[in-house]
Amino acid sequence: MSHSCPHDPFAKIRKEKGVLATEFQGKKIPMILRHGDVKQAAKDWETFSSDAPFRVPIPSEEDVRNVRQLPIETNPPEHKEYRKIVDPTFRKPLKAEFAHKIETLICSLIQDAASRESMEIVREFALPLQSRALTHLLNVPESEAEIWISWGTHVFRDGGDGTSKGAQLTEYLERKFDQASEKPGDDFFSGLLAAEFQGRKLTRDECMGFANLTFAGGRDTIINSVAWTIAYLAEHPEALPALRDDPRLILTATEEIVRVVTPLTHIGRVCPVTTDVGGEKVAAGERVSLCWASANFDETVFDSPEEVRLDRKPNPHVGFGSGTHNCLGAAHARLIIRTLLKEISSNVKMIEILEAKRNIEREADYSREVAYDSLQVKITLA
Ligand code: HEM
């Protein structure tokens, strides 16, 4: 099977039933699988609430962090006001000056990769790219990324070795807010310390909640998208001239990559009252999952969903979520993927995969490939 062939473990049950009751942390959580149902649930925050600290991600994250992530773990109307605080930061990738920085960054990574005999893409390309790009979003010196790179790829997940990986991030962020309160600048941390919510300053926990989500939410998602894109281009060299010659294809290809990779498989919501979800009873206070990965392969919406079509249009994927909480980092993620496609197609002749180890998300009732654990390649410039 092709390395980059997407895999849809939900196909059968999506068609038959539309809901998969899956065990997470010893409890069954119904996963909503159909595109229309997922979109409907993402809109209906009164039935499917995000006002649930630590419990929006599945598995839940009580052991990984000690603050409520913002703005994601809130409902309207508070959500809107929280989201407004960080909106200007997340709009920066729409500016030409910002795009230029990402272009310079990606060009230098490609040159470095091509100068080596071979490169391991996940750790040596995707992680540095994600980390350095984030410094520009947060307006901190690019050298700060070296600290984030040194944390490795799975830093925010518990490693199963008894150590809480989240503690490293918490300590780091506390230090950054301490420094910013002593000497405010024009960086993300200082901006949060100065921000107001309902006429008062944010608490330190609220600042930490915004920063925690920005670091955690934008890490594996970007790394997996970048690694998958490079593997795809290695296996489909015919895509390189096509992308180089047609800038519109770069736009549609970026959306198709987010659809087929769907780096965030699903996310949780809590039902405040007992709710029937496709025949599965969810007791008050229990959770459901909105499965973006299944919705993105719904054959009633996407023609031949298992095919990667770089020119797919329309492409109403929900890879960045849908409705109230749609991804704030989407402009940044799109810019990174588009620039990667543009620079590789303009400068690279060939990418050869030397060794690939897939990243498999293994749960009790399904397994899903999400890009790569490691990807050793040789890159030859044009
Ligand atoms: C929300 C996916 C990159 C920050 C979301 C949601 C999804 C998602 C599915 C919706 C969550 C929900 O409905 O509860 C992705 C994917 C990415 C990506 C696939 C990359 C390809 C990023 C990046 C950042 C980021 C780079 C930050 C640097 C956020 C934030 C939210 C969010 C702050 C919460 C928005 C809200 O609650 O209003 N993301 N994300 N994401 N994402 Fe992303």
Side-chain angles (χ1 to χ4, degrees):
M1 187 169 72
S2 155
H3 281 299
S4 51
C5 176
H7 168 63
D8 172 19
F10 306 105
K12 189 164 173 282
I13 190 97
R14 178 179 58 244
K15 274 181 241 171
E16 287 172 6
K17 194 159 179 270
V19 172
L20 173 66
T22 305
E23 191 170 315
F24 295 96
Q25 297 162 314
K27 271 196 177 168
K28 287 273 181 198
I29 298 184
M31 302 179 79
I32 303 176
L33 302 179
R34 292 180 184 147
H35 188 269
D37 294 343
V38 167
K39 285 197 72 151
Q40 184 56 37
K43 253 200 310 210
D44 182 1
W45 57 268
E46 280 160 319
T47 310
F48 302 106
S49 169
S50 294
D51 183 5
F54 315 111
R55 296 179 71 213
V56 167
I58 299 175
S60 59
E61 297 189 342
E62 286 92 344
D63 300 337
V64 180
R65 57 183 154 97
N66 53 9
V67 289
R68 166 193 289 235
Q69 281 184 337
L70 294 174
I72 201 167
E73 291 176 340
T74 62
N75 278 342
E78 289 79 17
H79 169 260
K80 195 171 173 197
E81 207 181 326
Y82 275 127
R83 188 163 159 129
K84 225 167 54 193
I85 292 171
V86 282
D87 200 49
T89 295
F90 286 104
R91 294 180 70 80
K92 278 165 55 179
L94 302 171
K95 297 196 180 124
E97 180 201 346
F98 190 93
H100 182 66
K101 287 181 188 159
I102 300 300
E103 196 176 297
T104 308
L105 171 56
I106 290 181
C107 279
S108 84
L109 280 163
I110 293 173
Q111 295 296 330
D112 177 33
S115 73
R116 303 195 200 182
E117 201 47 51
S118 73
M119 179 183 258
E120 200 288 290
I121 289 299
V122 177
R123 281 155 200 83
E124 296 177 325
F125 190 103
L127 173 61
L129 168 53
Q130 179 275 330
S131 300
R132 290 179 195 145
L134 187 63
T135 65
H136 297 296
L137 196 69
L138 305 190
N139 213 20
V140 300
E142 202 178 285
S143 56
E144 193 72 13
E146 300 316 308
I147 300 177
W148 312 340
I149 294 167
S150 77
W151 294 340
T153 39
H154 297 319
V155 64
F156 309 137
R157 283 185 226 155
D158 265 345
D161 57 1
T163 58
S164 171
K165 308 271 169 148
Q168 197 166 20
L169 177 64
T170 305
E171 274 168 34
Y172 172 81
L173 294 177
E174 286 286 9
R175 204 164 60 240
K176 285 289 133 187
F177 283 116
D178 287 346
Q179 287 167 357
S181 64
E182 267 168 40
K183 202 166 164 252
D186 54 4
D187 57 282
F188 178 71
F189 304 100
S190 304
L192 284 171
L193 289 172
E196 291 206 351
F197 174 77
Q198 297 182 342
R200 59 161 176 84
K201 289 267 188 293
L202 293 177
T203 64
R204 176 60 77 91
D205 275 2
E206 286 170 324
C207 291
M208 289 287 286
F210 275 112
N212 184 291
L213 175 59
T214 301
F215 274 77
R219 195 167 168 105
D220 289 4
T221 48
I222 294 281
I223 292 171
N224 286 329
S225 307
V226 167
W228 188 91
T229 301
I230 292 177
Y232 179 83
L233 295 176
E235 293 198 318
H236 298 271
E238 74 286 355
L240 291 173
L243 288 160
R244 189 184 55 225
D245 296 343
D246 182 2
R248 280 168 313 179
L249 190 61
I250 290 188
L251 301 182
T252 53
T254 300
E255 299 312 308
E256 182 68 343
I257 288 165
V258 177
R259 181 186 76 84
V260 299
V261 180
T262 315
L264 189 61
T265 300
H266 65 147
I267 199 117
R269 297 286 191 259
V270 171
C271 294
V273 296
T274 300
T275 306
D276 183 281
V277 177
E280 298 286 336
K281 188 177 147 212
V282 182
E286 295 301 334
R287 294 194 295 168
V288 299
S289 136
L290 315 189
C291 187
W292 317 116
S294 169
N296 279 343
F297 280 74
D298 189 328
E299 47 288 307
T300 66
V301 175
F302 302 96
D303 190 26
S304 301
E306 71 291 349
E307 275 177 30
V308 182
R309 295 184 180 169
L310 298 188
D311 60 352
R312 190 181 289 276
K313 200 174 174 188
N315 189 343
H317 72 78
V318 288
F320 289 122
S322 173
T324 317
H325 292 277
N326 69 51
C327 179
L328 262 170
H332 186 62
R334 285 188 166 110
L335 178 66
I336 291 173
I337 302 169
R338 285 175 190 166
T339 312
L340 186 68
L341 291 172
K342 177 167 169 275
E343 294 309 322
I344 291 184
S345 63
S346 310
N347 296 301
V348 169
K349 184 165 87 182
M350 193 171 77
I351 306 172
E352 198 185 334
I353 297 180
L354 305 176
E355 211 180 314
K357 186 165 175 269
R358 290 168 206 227
N359 173 35
I360 316 271
E361 205 176 279
R362 282 181 217 285
E363 299 297 347
D365 299 291
Y366 71 89
S367 292
R368 178 173 182 257
E369 291 164 28
V370 190
Y372 296 87
D373 249 353
S374 63
L375 180 70
Q376 193 77 31
V377 305
K378 176 167 176 48
I379 293 186
T380 309
L381 292 181

